[in-house]
Amino acid sequence: MTMSSWSKTVAVLCSTLAVLFGLAPVCPSHAAELAPLQAVPIPANNPQTPAKIELGKKLFFDRRLSGDGTMNCATCHNPELAFTDGLDISLSYPTTKNWRNSPTLIDAAFRKYLFYDGRAKTLEEQALFPMMSAFEMNKNLDYLEEQVQLVPEYRAEFRKVFGGEVTRERIAMAIAAFERTLISKVTPLDRFLKGDESALSEDAKKGLVVFKGKGKCIECHDGADLADDRFYALNVPENPKLLDDPRVTTTMRFVAKVYHYDGYRNVREDPGRYLITKDAKDWKAFRTPSLRYVSKTAPYMHNGVFGTLDEVIEFFDRGGGPGSKVLKPLGLTPEEKRSLKVFLNEALTGEDIVVKMPEVP
Ligand code: HEC
Ligand code: HEC
């Protein structure tokens, strides 16, 4: 589907007005097109080499990265669960409690912003967060550098890959290089977009029509990853599990404090993107997630509050959570909902991404 130049003009006008007036409307789509799988962007300052990827893979599975030696990255991004942990609220360091759902790492290499609130921009920058985070791996990075440096095999590999000693930056670079290999396989939608009419079932094709038309999903879930890398306040309901658990409240206030939010002692819910921008329009706004492999990444949303795609579709059909300014009720028929679900389940998932377990030194 190509957009007419008229609708492009409207889109540009709308987003210009939105910027001028500080509004966050859903403009008639910035791109509003789907596209087949693209090549992974590789940053010039961290080129991929097989030895670096292998080193990153070992570190990804190394429990030394956590304070008490029980967790590695795969604990919460398990290759067998599409690089999630399959839980609504992710696992956490003993005695603490996480507040968000563990997202898949598939295609994270394509994201312009990482985390639900977009607080990291590159995989290199992102990788140190979970290690340092008091409620995730809780590892002191100065300690980790010395610990890894003392493992002869690692020392040799860091010299070979980076021409130097172990540093936290190099640990992050190697892990990022490995993550850039966790890329979606060709999906039925990719084949369909390249002209293979038989790649989608009749039901899935009907679902695609709803996705692009009456359902308006494409206004945010567009491009090759079905994600526009923007942030929206859909008023997703709070996960009841998170309310009134003092460990979760501690986590929320800790993050809010780290991000210099003055009202951190009053935080009882997830402020989303607001914590990063302090811009009122970002209150409880979260990044549009990719829908690749969505059939395997339940539970859904930043807080895992929806266990099934049916619940997600009902949510969008209602026009989002109460008071959402971003979404409007859709009035989908039961048949339209059903075909939309078929599309989400059948069209967007490729073969499993198999990772051969490395031998951690
Ligand atoms: C205790 C569970 C846990 C562990 C261990 C963990 N993560 Fe995560 N990861 C999460 C959660 C939860 C989020 C979402 C947090 C947020 O958005 O605030 C996340 C987010 C991410 C993201 C962002 C993905 C996206 O789409 O924005 C990447 C990349 C990532 N983790 C990589 C890693 C790496 C690399 C490691 C190991 C160094 C690791 N994680 C260890 C739970 C975990
Ligand atoms: C205004 C932008 C927007 C529109 C329109 C939109 N979405 Fe989303 N979608 C989002 C955002 C933002 C999230 C993440 C919300 C969160 O984490 O709390 C999301 C989350 C999802 C998820 C959960 C994915 C995951 O891994 O957790 C699914 C599935 C989804 N949307 C499907 C759809 C469908 C189907 C439609 C059309 C009926 C649609 N979306 C319309 C912005 C949008």
Side-chain angles (χ1 to χ4, degrees):
M1 185 186 80
T2 46
M3 270 207 301
S4 71
S5 57
W6 167 242
S7 62
K8 264 190 192 140
T9 313
V10 172
V12 170
L13 248 167
C14 173
S15 34
T16 314
L17 288 173
V19 172
L20 281 175
F21 295 103
L23 307 167
V26 179
C27 293
S29 207
H30 10 288
E33 286 180 69
L34 295 174
L37 201 60
Q38 315 281 312
V40 198
I42 307 292
N45 58 5
N46 192 18
Q48 300 282 91
T49 65
K52 194 192 285 172
I53 294 167
E54 209 40 46
L55 173 58
K57 191 203 273 188
K58 284 181 193 166
L59 292 165
F60 188 89
F61 287 99
D62 193 333
R63 295 178 191 277
R64 285 184 187 89
L65 267 51
S66 61
D68 68 349
T70 61
M71 269 189 265
N72 54 27
C73 307
T75 306
C76 305
H77 303 288
N78 182 346
E80 284 173 14
L81 298 171
F83 299 89
T84 72
D85 57 16
L87 300 167
D88 53 351
I89 301 301
S90 180
L91 294 162
S92 28
Y93 195 78
T95 74
T96 71
K97 199 95 193 65
N98 213 320
W99 63 331
R100 288 183 178 162
N101 171 268
S102 165
T104 179
L105 301 189
I106 299 173
D107 292 338
F110 289 98
R111 298 278 64 78
K112 260 189 5 216
Y113 300 95
L114 293 155
F115 291 121
Y116 292 104
D117 52 23
R119 66 186 184 279
K121 287 201 167 153
T122 64
L123 289 171
E124 284 78 1
E125 185 191 343
Q126 190 282 332
L128 298 175
F129 278 92
M131 294 180 223
M132 290 184 293
S133 159
F135 58 91
E136 286 182 340
M137 300 171 102
N138 200 14
K139 184 79 178 190
N140 181 296
L141 295 181
D142 286 306
Y143 190 92
L144 178 67
E145 284 176 350
E146 297 322 301
Q147 200 180 6
V148 175
Q149 177 76 19
L150 271 177
V151 180
E153 203 177 319
Y154 272 139
R155 197 159 63 232
E157 282 189 51
F158 274 82
R159 290 224 173 102
K160 187 173 138 207
V161 170
F162 295 106
E165 310 305 308
V166 176
T167 64
R168 64 195 72 188
E169 289 80 15
R170 288 171 176 158
I171 291 174
M173 286 165 82
I175 292 177
F178 168 62
E179 289 175 300
R180 291 197 176 93
T181 67
L182 308 177
I183 301 303
S184 166
K185 306 280 182 198
V186 172
T187 64
L189 180 66
D190 291 318
R191 285 191 272 124
F192 180 79
L193 291 172
K194 288 193 160 176
D196 178 357
E197 287 282 329
S198 68
L200 296 184
S201 69
E202 286 311 310
D203 277 346
K205 280 182 203 164
K206 283 186 201 151
L208 174 58
V209 172
V210 177
F211 190 90
K212 297 207 290 193
K214 192 171 167 187
K216 299 188 180 152
C217 315
I218 198 171
E219 289 187 354
C220 305
H221 297 282
D222 67 353
D225 272 345
L226 304 101
D228 62 0
D229 289 307
R230 294 178 182 217
F231 301 84
Y232 300 97
L234 308 180
N235 297 8
V236 171
E238 291 296 317
N239 185 327
K241 272 194 199 164
L242 299 188
L243 302 170
D244 306 322
D245 181 334
R247 292 169 304 174
V248 181
T249 310
T250 307
T251 296
M252 290 179 177
R253 293 184 182 179
F254 164 68
V255 179
K257 189 175 177 182
V258 169
Y259 281 89
H260 308 290
Y261 173 43
D262 292 338
Y264 72 88
R265 279 266 159 86
N266 297 317
V267 169
R268 321 194 127 266
E269 52 188 347
D270 191 332
R273 179 80 177 150
Y274 178 85
L275 279 187
I276 316 305
T277 62
K278 313 291 188 300
D279 185 338
K281 80 168 169 30
D282 288 333
W283 180 253
K284 297 184 85 64
F286 297 92
R287 184 200 59 185
T288 310
S290 166
L291 297 183
R292 282 184 180 264
Y293 286 71
V294 72
S295 65
K296 299 199 167 175
T297 59
Y300 302 107
M301 306 313 208
H302 68 278
N303 56 7
V305 70
F306 299 135
T308 63
L309 287 172
D310 286 315
E311 288 170 69
V312 175
I313 292 170
E314 288 301 333
F315 170 80
F316 282 107
D317 187 49
R318 281 196 300 276
S324 166
K325 294 196 188 74
V326 178
L327 300 169
K328 299 245 161 5
L330 300 170
L332 298 180
T333 65
E335 179 52 26
E336 285 165 337
K337 290 180 195 168
R338 196 190 61 83
S339 58
L340 185 55
K341 182 172 137 189
V342 171
F343 170 73
L344 294 173
N345 265 327
E346 288 182 5
L348 306 177
T349 307
E351 280 171 26
D352 286 345
I353 294 150
V354 181
V355 173
K356 218 175 134 256
M357 280 288 281
E359 283 206 25
V360 173

